[in-house]
Amino acid sequence: EDEAFLEAFQKRIDAEEKIEPNDPMPGGYRKTLVRQIGQHAHSEIVGMLPEGNWITRAPTLRRKAALLAKVQDEGGHGLYLYAAAETLGVSREQMTEELLSGKAKYSSIFNYPTPSWADIGTIGWLVDGAAIMNQIPLCRCSYGPYARAMIRVCKEESFHQRQGYEIVMTLAKGSPEQKQMAQDSLDRWWWPALMMFGPSDKDSAHSEQSMAWKIKRFTNDELRQQFIDATVPQAEFLGLKVPDPDCRWNKETGHYDHGEIDWDEFWRVVKGGGRMNRDRIADRKKAWDDGAWVREAALAHAEKRRDRMEA
Ligand code: ACO
């Protein structure tokens, strides 16, 4: 790729032009997007599992209907995102194979277990809350298909976040046992939710280039701080405490200070060593294998139709 091409591309980016599938683009730009959109799609698909776990045990019909809708939305987001990645020349089969072989990453957050009903509330509140914080700026991503997909996804995520917060609010206002369930769940999910934003800026391999290409609009640490600033007052409103003794309002900076994140835990989970990594991939593999007959039947049907058209 010659200098002049890269310069002309950067000019388009700087002028806030959207890049579309058939436009010339640097190989690195394409590769970064395939990686990020693919990882994002996998996260939505794997993200159905921890909550799917509670659909049959939701405490009321209303809760069950909302949870079912939410998990279905996540499946839809995954398909949307796979379609966005396909515009860059990668196939869904290829991406799925990379997920199942462990080559492609998905969000660390989905490798934690959901032992209590309160976790369904906390996931909506914190995990979807963090996802929105990260995804709103992606609506302005320089790559058109990704940016447009994010608009609808963010609307649905905001419903997910509110349904979660409402579950936690109900528990927090309930019996002492229910309040304890909510607190216990917050204790388990707080730090993993902060890790969702990715490594701190000094260790983030891709941030600088992704910011220059306007794929990312904020750094990992900036978004993490925004999330903390928005969420700590919500915990206070619920009468719950975030499990960080160093978390306090800092008048000078106008932000909440926070304690050190356990990056060893983050990398261990990212590399496959979390509590649920093995189960998650095994579940996805089973779903993919069980669906083989559907793919085969669809293919056979398409071939038959083509033959009939040609005859
Ligand atoms: N879980 C797993 N892997 C992660 C995470 C995480 N929470 N955060 C960062 N990583 C990986 C990156 O993929 C990268 O690995 P790679 O080089 O092998 O691809 C490595 O850690 C270094 O991180 P960064 O250089 O900071 O990577 P990047 O610039 O891509 O930033 C981020 C990471 C913020 C997650 C970005 O990819 C992004 O915004 N993605 C879209 C949103 C998304 O995927 N959300 C999924 C969870 S939300 C949901 O599904 C409901």
Side-chain angles (χ1 to χ4, degrees), residues 35-36 39-40 43-44 105-110 127-128 131 134-135 138 146 157 195-199 203-207 210 216 220 266-267 270:
R35 180 184 62 78
Q36 177 168 328
Q39 173 188 309
H40 194 166
S43 302
E44 299 281 358
K105 293 192 168 75
Y106 60 89
S107 183
S108 51
I109 194 76
F110 300 117
V127 175
D128 295 307
N134 163 273
Q135 284 167 194
L138 291 175
Y146 192 27
E157 293 290 359
M195 293 175 197
M196 283 176 72
F197 294 93
D203 297 317
S204 166
H206 306 291
S207 278
S210 290
K216 285 167 93 162
N220 299 355
F266 171 75
W267 290 115
V270 169

Side-chain angles (χ1 to χ4, degrees), residues 164-233:
Y165 192 71
E166 208 239 330
I167 291 174
V168 181
M169 191 147 62
T170 305
L171 292 172
K173 281 199 210 142
S175 66
E177 289 81 3
Q178 285 174 313
K179 187 165 181 190
Q180 187 51 43
M181 265 171 78
Q183 180 63 54
D184 167 67
S185 181
L186 175 59
D187 290 347
R188 284 181 291 110
W189 290 92
W190 176 252
W191 292 105
L194 299 190
M195 293 175 197
M196 283 176 72
F197 294 93
S200 68
D201 293 350
K202 64 178 177 14
D203 297 317
S204 166
H206 306 291
S207 278
E208 196 182 335
Q209 183 59 71
S210 290
M211 298 275 286
W213 277 330
K214 299 190 196 284
I215 294 171
K216 285 167 93 162
R217 296 280 177 166
F218 295 96
T219 70
N220 299 355
D221 286 335
E222 283 169 350
L223 290 172
R224 186 166 19 245
Q225 186 67 53
Q226 274 185 34
F227 173 76
I228 294 170
D229 290 347
T231 310
V232 173

Side-chain angles (χ1 to χ4, degrees), residues 22-126:
N22 293 327
D23 293 351
M25 61 183 87
Y29 180 82
R30 186 185 299 276
K31 199 170 150 211
T32 298
L33 282 165
V34 167
R35 180 184 62 78
Q36 177 168 328
I37 302 174
Q39 173 188 309
H40 194 166
H42 297 325
S43 302
E44 299 281 358
I45 297 294
V46 176
M48 297 167 80
L49 296 168
E51 291 174 284
N53 175 32
W54 277 93
I55 291 172
T56 55
R57 293 176 289 157
T60 67
L61 183 61
R62 182 174 156 263
R63 294 289 188 213
K64 188 179 179 125
L67 183 59
L68 193 59
K70 173 185 194 289
V71 173
Q72 276 177 347
D73 285 351
E74 277 152 13
H77 296 173
L79 299 185
Y80 237 55
L81 285 162
Y82 284 132
E86 280 183 316
T87 65
L88 292 156
V90 59
S91 75
R92 211 155 101 190
E93 285 73 16
Q94 205 179 323
M95 285 184 276
T96 303
E97 273 157 25
E98 289 185 357
L99 170 69
L100 299 183
S101 73
K103 186 163 171 248
K105 293 192 168 75
Y106 60 89
S107 183
S108 51
I109 194 76
F110 300 117
N111 294 307
Y112 291 84
T114 43
S116 116
W117 168 252
D119 295 338
I120 301 309
T122 309
I123 288 179
W125 173 30
L126 299 185

